[in-house]
Amino acid sequence: MIEYKKMVFYLFLRIVYSFSGYLDLICYYLFLDIVIMKKQKDFLFLLVGLYLCCYFIETFLCVIEKRVYNKIFPGIVMRAKDKLMKKYIRLDLKQIKEYSSSDLKSRINEDTENLAQYYVKKIEILVLIVNTLVVLTALYYFNIYLAIFCSIMLPISFTITKHISYRSNDAYMNLRDVQIQSDNFSYFSIQNWKEIRLNGIKNKVSEEYNMFCDKIGSLYVKTHIYWFLNRTFIAFKDAFVTKISLYFIGGILIIRGYSEVSILLVFMQFYERLINTMIGIGDLRVNMGKEKESASKIQNTLDVEEYDKINPVSNTIHTIEMREGKFRYENNLIVDNISLMIERRKIIGIVGKSGCGKSTILKLMTGINTLNDGEVLIDSVPVDKINLDYIYNKIGIIMQDSYLFNLSIRENLLFGKETATEEEIAQACKRANILDYILGLDDKFDTIIGENGVRLSGGQHQRMVIARMLLHDPEIIFFDEATSALDSENETEIVKGIISQMGEKTFVIVSHDIDIIRKCNYIYFIENGRVKDEGSHNEIMSRDAKYEKMWGSTI
């Protein structure tokens, strides 16, 4: 991610460029010493030429420095983004859930930019430290007495600045954490604005958002107070008290013959440069908290240990089994000691009342969620030991909240099969009973559907998801009430498509549609997170009154 040889070269270039700024001070010293004090007017023309040379040298070095900067630091940002994205993709789902969506966005977009600035500021601090040493050397060269006085004052500046920078870094860390919480809250509120209004809690949401704004404002002011304190301290001590003292002491030395006016004037110019380097170091140390925190977070993410995964020898999944599975959400037991088996080319139904844990079981079986107790096995291998790419190449999942991207219809469908032909796309859409709708649009398959398919109705959204899954053509298909958003006509057409493939695919179906459930080879009847009964539809109907009552109105 970091090309250290280029960074060292850039550091060297920055030091050389900063040294070019001393050429005008040397010219100034020559002007005072030779032209003014020694009255050698002929040297004035040569001095003008030296000034012009200094200007062209500084301009040339500035151009080179900017070109090198533009070749190094944008590359750091892009490589950091690339490494983070690849890291997130490789992480286990359990690991990735430790990050909020706002944190992930901040890590990839903001922290990577801050990482480049972190290295820029570190280099700048090194450059300023070198400049400080050079200026101090020059001060001792011109007048050792005044230089000793300056040296005595320097440790005070560094000590105070260091203390302020620690406080400032803490404030930046707190500010970032609150900003991430605020972004999460904003994202959640926007995504669920309809429910917020329907439940009459928009005022409460606004109050909570205002609370975040107040915290951010307070911390933002706090960070700027530290910057102001640092600047005020240095300005008062170095630019006022020390400067007046230097003029006073320098005047006495000139009167007593230990120095000259030209020496004092040049000394003060170099002292001005020393003040500027001190202010620069102080500002960078105080304001580097955000960049330092970003660099630390990126490194911590890249250092996360990746679980060793295996790819099973078989190219086909024969069984998926849950053994004595338990899953808790907060303090609620959602899945309670469930055991079930999915065999190849079987149609498994999972039924029960709303909220009994059906969708959670599907997410646990496919590795989206992780059991608290028990285990999920794919061909006798724990699911958390298997490479997720292998699993999701074999499995297709259609949830009630399946996501569509803010892209064209074609681009969304190609997520199912990147190499799909136009004919394959059209056939999948026809089987999902959405082809006629797409062909009726002005831009047809090139129509942009908005964030999560916002420009589609609920039924159209679900049919798009089903078409994408059909293009994927997995071995095992998990349907979590996949037709619940469809009208009865579309539901019938899609059910026919499902039935036509039942001999070829393995299906795990959560549905309230009796026609689909009757086709299942085996059914698990879930109640309160437990398997209340299991068997064929007719078997459970004959012995379980609650099951019979649940389907009574549809038979």
Side-chain angles (χ1 to χ4, degrees):
M1 184 164 61
I2 307 300
E3 297 179 332
Y4 289 103
K5 289 184 179 179
K6 290 183 178 180
M7 295 280 278
V8 171
F9 176 70
Y10 178 74
L11 172 62
F12 171 76
L13 196 60
R14 281 290 298 123
I15 291 173
V16 173
Y17 175 58
S18 68
F19 284 175
S20 68
Y22 297 115
L23 295 176
D24 60 336
L25 292 180
I26 295 172
C27 291
Y28 178 65
Y29 170 68
L30 294 174
F31 173 74
L32 290 175
D33 186 52
I34 299 175
V35 178
I36 301 299
M37 301 299 294
K38 297 178 181 178
K39 309 296 183 181
Q40 297 182 17
K41 297 181 181 179
D42 294 339
F43 188 75
L44 186 60
F45 295 100
L46 178 60
L47 197 59
V48 171
L50 286 174
Y51 265 112
L52 288 173
C53 288
C54 292
Y55 171 76
F56 287 118
I57 290 172
E58 284 191 61
T59 303
F60 174 74
L61 290 173
C62 179
V63 171
I64 297 298
E65 185 263 336
K66 293 300 180 186
R67 285 178 64 87
V68 174
Y69 175 94
N70 290 331
K71 286 185 177 182
I72 294 176
F73 294 100
I76 289 176
V77 174
M78 296 309 299
R79 284 190 293 274
K81 289 178 185 287
D82 180 61
K83 282 184 173 288
L84 281 175
M85 283 299 298
K86 289 179 178 177
K87 184 69 175 184
Y88 287 137
I89 291 170
R90 294 195 302 268
L91 288 179
D92 190 83
L93 286 174
K94 184 178 181 181
Q95 293 172 302
I96 204 72
K97 284 182 179 180
E98 296 177 4
Y99 303 94
S100 67
S101 57
S102 294
D103 195 26
L104 291 174
K105 180 181 176 182
S106 175
R107 199 69 55 91
I108 292 173
N109 293 334
E110 297 174 18
D111 287 344
T112 51
E113 296 286 345
N114 291 337
L115 177 67
Q117 289 305 307
Y118 173 70
Y119 286 107
V120 169
K121 290 184 176 181
K122 286 193 73 172
I123 288 174
E124 198 61 29
I125 287 176
L126 291 174
V127 171
L128 291 173
I129 290 173
V130 172
N131 274 263
T132 300
L133 297 175
V134 171
V135 173
L136 282 173
T137 302
L139 293 178
Y140 274 94
Y141 171 78
F142 286 113
N143 193 298
I144 190 171
Y145 302 109
L146 295 177
I148 289 173
F149 179 76
C150 291
S151 300
I152 292 172
M153 302 300 288
L154 280 178
I156 300 174
S157 296
F158 275 112
T159 302
I160 299 297
T161 300
K162 183 178 180 180
H163 180 72
I164 293 174
S165 68
Y166 283 147
R167 294 294 185 89
S168 178
N169 289 345
D170 289 340
Y172 270 120
M173 290 173 64
N174 292 333
L175 176 60
R176 177 194 167 87
D177 291 340
V178 175
Q179 284 176 329
I180 289 175
Q181 293 174 25
S182 176
D183 289 344
N184 280 333
F185 182 78
S186 300
Y187 179 77
F188 173 81
S189 300
I190 292 169
Q191 289 291 101
N192 298 279
W193 187 243
K194 291 181 181 178
E195 288 78 6
I196 289 171
R197 296 198 67 176
L198 288 172
N199 287 282
I201 57 173
K202 62 180 182 179
N203 290 334
K204 184 178 179 181
V205 170
S206 297
E207 289 173 4
E208 192 162 349
Y209 181 73
N210 289 335
M211 181 187 69
F212 280 117
C213 290
D214 291 340
K215 286 183 179 179
I216 290 172
S218 175
L219 288 169
Y220 188 77
V221 169
K222 192 175 182 180
T223 58
H224 279 70
I225 287 174
Y226 287 126
W227 175 85
F228 175 77
L229 288 173
N230 182 65
R231 274 297 183 98
T232 303
F233 169 74
I234 292 177
F236 179 75
K237 184 188 78 65
D238 295 328
F240 182 68
V241 176
T242 307
K243 196 170 186 179
I244 290 175
S245 301
L246 286 172
Y247 274 119
F248 179 77
I249 296 171
I252 294 174
L253 292 174
I254 291 171
I255 292 171
R256 295 190 176 183
Y258 292 105
S259 186
E260 300 174 2
V261 173
S262 60
I263 296 294
L264 178 61
L265 292 175
V266 174
F267 186 95
M268 295 309 295
Q269 288 294 317
F270 273 93
Y271 178 71
E272 288 280 355
R273 190 62 61 89
L274 179 64
I275 291 175
N276 290 334
T277 58
M278 293 293 294
I279 290 175
I281 292 173
D283 283 351
L284 287 170
R285 292 185 65 180
V286 169
N287 295 329
M288 207 166 69
K290 178 173 65 175
E291 289 81 6
K292 186 176 181 180
E293 176 70 7
S294 293
S296 176
K297 284 182 176 291
I298 288 175
Q299 192 59 53
N300 290 339
T301 301
L302 296 177
D303 289 341
V304 172
E305 184 179 358
E306 298 174 26
Y307 300 147
D308 292 330
K309 303 286 186 175
I310 64 170
N311 287 317
V313 177
S314 174
N315 288 325
T316 301
I317 294 178
H318 295 86
T319 62
I320 301 179
E321 181 183 5
M322 181 186 290
R323 293 180 182 173
E324 299 178 352
K326 291 186 179 182
F327 178 77
R328 297 175 183 84
Y329 181 74
E330 294 180 349
N331 293 323
N332 299 318
L333 187 61
I334 308 300
V335 173
D336 184 10
N337 201 38
I338 282 183
S339 296
L340 51 84
M341 172 75 77
I342 299 167
E343 295 181 347
R344 188 178 180 221
R345 293 185 176 177
K346 297 291 185 181
I347 309 160
I348 307 299
I350 298 178
V351 300
K353 293 182 178 180
S354 297
C356 68
K358 304 185 298 296
S359 298
T360 302
I361 291 172
L362 261 61
K363 291 178 179 179
L364 292 167
M365 297 290 284
T366 54
I368 296 175
N369 287 343
T370 305
L371 287 168
N372 298 116
D373 297 301
E375 58 184 348
V376 174
L377 307 171
I378 295 181
D379 290 338
S380 301
V381 179
V383 69
D384 57 357
K385 301 294 184 184
I386 301 176
N387 192 314
L388 287 177
D389 291 339
Y390 172 86
I391 295 175
Y392 295 130
N393 281 332
K394 304 294 183 182
I395 289 175
I397 308 169
I398 300 181
M399 297 293 181
Q400 299 176 51
D401 55 354
S402 295
Y403 193 83
L404 292 174
F405 295 90
N406 186 19
L407 300 169
S408 69
I409 291 174
R410 176 183 285 102
E411 288 169 319
N412 270 281
L413 293 173
L414 287 175
F415 281 111
K417 183 181 179 183
E418 189 176 354
T419 60
T421 63
E422 292 294 314
E423 183 179 351
E424 289 174 322
I425 292 173
Q427 185 62 29
C429 292
K430 184 177 181 180
R431 288 163 62 190
N433 203 23
I434 195 175
L435 181 61
D436 291 341
Y437 166 75
I438 295 173
L439 296 179
L441 298 170
D442 292 338
D443 295 326
K444 297 180 172 53
F445 284 96
D446 294 320
T447 302
I448 303 297
I449 60 175
E451 188 71 27
N452 197 20
V454 69
R455 297 176 186 172
L456 304 174
S457 68
Q460 291 161 353
H461 181 287
Q462 204 69 342
R463 281 179 277 158
M464 275 280 295
V465 173
I466 292 171
R468 184 173 65 188
M469 183 275 298
L470 292 172
L471 272 176
H472 180 199
D473 194 29
E475 292 181 11
I476 304 174
I477 301 173
F478 287 80
F479 279 102
D480 183 11
E481 301 197 51
T483 58
S484 60
L486 306 178
D487 55 57
S488 58
E489 182 179 349
N490 282 311
E491 186 173 11
T492 301
E493 291 297 325
I494 293 173
V495 169
K496 287 180 180 178
I498 294 173
I499 293 173
S500 69
Q501 293 190 49
M502 284 191 171
E504 304 170 13
K505 304 290 182 184
T506 303
F507 288 91
V508 182
I509 301 172
V510 172
S511 178
H512 289 100
D513 188 304
I514 187 64
D515 292 325
I516 297 176
I517 294 303
R518 279 174 172 161
K519 299 293 183 180
C520 293
N521 303 116
Y522 204 81
I523 297 168
Y524 291 93
F525 177 34
I526 309 299
E527 185 179 65
N528 298 325
R530 300 179 67 92
V531 176
K532 186 176 186 301
D533 206 340
E534 58 183 279
S536 69
H537 173 70
N538 291 333
E539 289 173 348
I540 303 176
M541 282 284 286
S542 66
R543 62 177 178 246
D544 197 301
K546 288 187 177 180
Y547 185 84
E548 182 182 10
K549 183 179 179 180
M550 184 176 68
W551 297 114
S553 60
T554 61
I555 296 175

